[in-house]
Amino acid sequence: MNEPAHEPSCAAPAVPAPGTAEGPPYAECVLCRKPTEYAESVKGITLCPVCEWQEAQRTACSG
């Protein structure tokens, strides 16, 4: 018998990431001040890949 596939109950909505920079100058991470992959002209909170991953872990569903 076929059972229905279970969807994650806490799926995060897809959020478009701001454009990545072609080259320097890069924006600083707002948490650790390391360079990010985003251009300085990007508005909003910019995070480096490490802090971005850690933030995703903190906000992820624990279910």
Side-chain angles (χ1 to χ4, degrees):
M1 293 191 193
N2 292 337
E3 292 185 22
H6 291 270
E7 299 271 334
S9 61
C10 188
V15 177
T20 56
E22 295 291 323
Y26 296 108
E28 282 187 347
C29 176
V30 296
L31 298 177
C32 70
R33 316 280 288 172
K34 291 183 181 175
T36 67
E37 57 189 21
Y38 305 111
E40 281 186 342
S41 61
V42 172
K43 296 186 191 284
I45 297 174
T46 54
L47 300 172
C48 70
V50 172
C51 290
E52 199 168 283
W53 181 83
Q54 289 173 342
E55 184 66 23
Q57 292 296 311
R58 282 192 289 271
T59 60
C61 175
S62 63

